Amino acid sequence: MSASKLCPSVALLRSLGLSSHLVSRRCVQQTSMRLGRAIHSSASSQEDQKSFKGQLYESTYQRLERERAEQRRFAKERGQSSGSRTAATTFGDAVFAFFVATALSCYYLGSLNASTPSTASTTPLASTEPPKHNISPSNLQAAWADFVGVVGEDHVSTDKAALQSHSGSDWSSYTTKDTEHPFLIVYPSSTEEVSKIAKICHERRIPITGYSGGTSLEGHFSATRGGICIDFGRMDKILQLHKDDLDVIVQPAVGWELLNEELAKDGLFFPPDPGPGAMIGGMVSTGCSGTNAYRYGTMKDWVLSLTVVMADGTIIKTRQRPRKSSAGYDLTRTFIGSEGTLGLVTEATLKVTVKPKSESVAIATFPTVRDAAECVARVVGEGIPIAAIEVLDDVQMRCINEAGSTSRTWKEAPTLFFKFTGTPSAVKEQIGMVQKLAKSKGSRSFEFAKDADEILELWSARKEALWSVMAKRRDDSDHVWTTDVAVPISRLPDIIEETKADMSSCGLLGAIVGHVGDGNFHSILLFNEKERQVAEDVVHRMVKRAVEMEGTVTGEHGVGLIKRDYLNHELGESTVDAMRKLKQAFDPLCLLNCDKIVRVQRPRAGEVQAW
């Protein structure tokens, strides 16, 4: 039955506004009979599942029938006259009509505003709405009291210097805006406390940014939406080492260097080795690698299981401890590289391996950076099982010399650093093979370590790369832009040569360094605000070059804020839309590290650089 057949006339609605003319009893009775037939029909065809409209009719009809029965009973008990009873009945009919009209009007207006959940498998950026957070001072101040109740007042900080350091760093390629800092920092000591903090934020709609070592480079922990920062610094324990199973359970603020010091006591080690100061939580979040990646793989290859606090405070564990499993979705790898946008990692079960019996390091210099890159491709193509291959260009070697941070002076030429591991005889054989290949590609010198001290000395230059360039800053207004890309190994000589030429002609101090054994390299640029556009253009061309060579916009640094708009070009819009859908599924209120990896609302005009 259509709504128009049940709706009272305009005259009827006017009559409810104190008009002298009342609706005829017959009209109301006919309306009541029609409504009753509609309800009976709806009940017959949908006994098990009534529509909202049917339920609305039935509920209204039954309530009005009860009221009319009460009117009749009241009139009979009081001995009302026939005229009085007619008036009472007419009044009841008018009330009935009024409720029917009101109910149908509400239903109609409600249907206009109904929001049907999307059934699409992806979420295009054009269909998004800005997240609705509550970062009002009153809400944040009230939350402060809640956090104090969880961790104690000593572990909630609003110190200005601490807020600043938890918003960005001197070595990040992203310059944090004045508004992009948290309101406060919370320091939990357990998974349970993190869960309680997340529940408070979920209820109050307060954004959360996670923080462990603070060594990330692409704006990963800038608080773009304000809110709070959860610093995992108190969660810095090695919880359990299973030597026989070759795994270890750690909290997120355990540094990889400290972990390896402890593992070495049992003849074990954990291979991923990013920059100094990096901690397990951030290493999981960015999917980092390091100099050992050529031989041992990246972070995702060394994580067995994660304990994660979801956006609403729910605690999950992704796996148990076996070396392999086909049980369900691989949530462990889903969280690795998610940069804190899907959940907060509070524990990690890591694989470890036996420390090599013998180790050595060699360095070789070349006339050009292309010659060095071609040597890398040749070594990889020959399948020589070395542990690491690193490249530092001539500018980088000069910066290291001028910084004076190592114990020796280096040749200022493109240089390859090789690391060899295995049995003593295997290491000796590998060094001989690499030396011959380097010579065939024009190496000018080849030097290998003869003892442990020389190993540390030769490898020290590689670890000082970033800091030596930062030491060249002209004043405090200078910034450093460190970024990375990766390409198939056959294209490595091309992209390194082209990027080197671009950097040399741009007028900025720029160096090339990288884990070239797997096609991954970095550029480090020094610039001030007047030179920012020049630096942005150099990085843009480098990233575009990598994508056009079927590479990736980031091999290990992660996406953060800097690389998110390049993902469409590397992966395609539909793939990025699927990532956005995953973000919405895990974090519907967009509380966790909002704006990183994928945009959650449309950019402003001119915000995205033209491809």
Side-chain angles (χ1 to χ4, degrees), residues 30 48 91 116 158 168 195 242 282 343 347 489-490 503:
Q30 287 176 348
D48 296 328
F91 175 75
T116 304
T158 56
S195 174
H242 303 104
E347 286 182 18
I489 195 69
S490 63
M503 292 170 64

Side-chain angles (χ1 to χ4, degrees), residues 420 430-440 443 446 448:
F420 308 92
Q430 292 168 23
I431 291 174
M433 295 170 68
V434 169
Q435 186 173 14
K436 290 179 181 178
L437 290 175
K439 187 175 181 179
S440 71
S443 70
F446 189 93
F448 63 89

Side-chain angles (χ1 to χ4, degrees), residues 251-278:
Q251 291 184 312
V254 172
W256 67 271
E257 294 153 304
L258 174 64
L259 176 60
N260 273 326
E261 286 179 16
E262 293 299 314
L263 292 174
K265 297 174 183 177
D266 293 292
L268 305 173
F269 90 113
F270 178 65
D273 61 336

Side-chain angles (χ1 to χ4, degrees), residues 149 151 240 296 611:
V151 300
Q240 221 169 357
Y296 293 100
W611 183 245

Side-chain angles (χ1 to χ4, degrees), residues 160-425:
K160 187 174 181 180
L163 297 178
Q164 189 72 25
S165 66
H166 284 69
S167 304
S169 66
D170 289 341
W171 50 85
S172 175
S173 54
Y174 179 76
T175 302
T176 304
K177 299 179 177 64
D178 292 338
T179 57
E180 295 177 339
H181 57 79
F183 174 76
L184 56 79
I185 306 164
V186 190
Y187 299 86
S189 63
S190 67
T191 296
E192 290 69 27
E193 287 185 356
V194 176
S195 174
K196 291 176 183 178
I197 293 166
K199 287 177 180 178
I200 292 168
C201 291
H202 190 263
E203 181 180 350
R204 294 184 175 276
R205 292 186 175 238
I206 297 174
I208 300 171
T209 305
Y211 182 98
S212 53
T215 60
S216 56
L217 299 166
E218 304 285 357
H220 293 90
F221 56 92
S222 292
T224 55
R225 305 280 173 155
I228 72 159
C229 174
I230 296 181
D231 186 322
F232 293 99
R234 295 174 66 209
M235 299 176 66
D236 59 354
K237 297 176 180 61
I238 299 174
L239 299 176
Q240 221 169 357
L241 172 62
H242 303 104
K243 290 186 288 185
D244 293 339
D245 297 325
L246 293 178
D247 69 60
V248 62
I249 303 174
V250 301
Q251 291 184 312
V254 172
W256 67 271
E257 294 153 304
L258 174 64
L259 176 60
N260 273 326
E261 286 179 16
E262 293 299 314
L263 292 174
K265 297 174 183 177
D266 293 292
L268 305 173
F269 90 113
F270 178 65
D273 61 336
M279 296 180 180
I280 297 300
M283 293 166 66
V284 169
S285 293
T286 57
C288 78
S289 54
T291 64
N292 290 328
Y294 173 63
R295 172 72 173 271
Y296 293 100
T298 66
M299 192 68 183
K300 70 179 185 300
D301 301 307
W302 292 90
V303 181
L304 290 173
S305 174
L306 296 170
T307 299
V308 182
V309 173
M310 306 297 283
D312 65 353
T314 300
I315 301 170
I316 68 168
K317 187 171 182 178
T318 60
R319 281 271 192 266
Q320 298 207 76
R321 292 194 300 113
R323 282 296 172 119
K324 65 178 183 179
S325 172
S326 295
Y329 297 121
D330 191 349
L331 291 180
T332 305
R333 289 202 174 192
T334 299
F335 287 108
I336 297 171
S338 65
E339 301 181 11
T341 62
L342 303 181
L344 299 165
V345 174
T346 59
E347 286 182 18
T349 303
L350 309 173
K351 292 191 291 185
V352 298
T353 190
V354 177
K355 200 170 183 181
K357 301 289 184 183
S358 181
E359 181 177 281
S360 188
V361 167
I363 62 171
T365 60
F366 294 83
T368 68
V369 72
R370 184 180 183 91
D371 293 327
E374 287 179 348
C375 179
V376 172
R378 184 74 186 278
V379 170
V380 172
E382 291 292 328
I384 302 173
I386 58 179
I389 315 176
E390 301 290 304
V391 68
L392 277 68
D393 73 353
D394 55 318
V395 175
Q396 182 63 76
M397 298 306 293
R398 185 173 70 250
C399 289
I400 292 171
N401 281 338
E402 292 175 358
S405 54
T406 61
S407 60
R408 60 172 286 174
T409 301
W410 308 84
K411 290 184 174 67
E412 295 176 3
T415 304
L416 288 181
F417 290 71
F418 300 93
K419 185 186 290 185
F420 308 92
T421 59
T423 64
S425 60

Side-chain angles (χ1 to χ4, degrees), residues 49 60 63 94 96 98 103 112 175 193 200 279 348 436 466:
Q49 186 177 0
T60 305
R63 182 175 54 172
F96 170 73
F98 171 75
L112 291 178
T175 302
E193 287 185 356
I200 292 168
M279 296 180 180
K436 290 179 181 178
L466 173 60

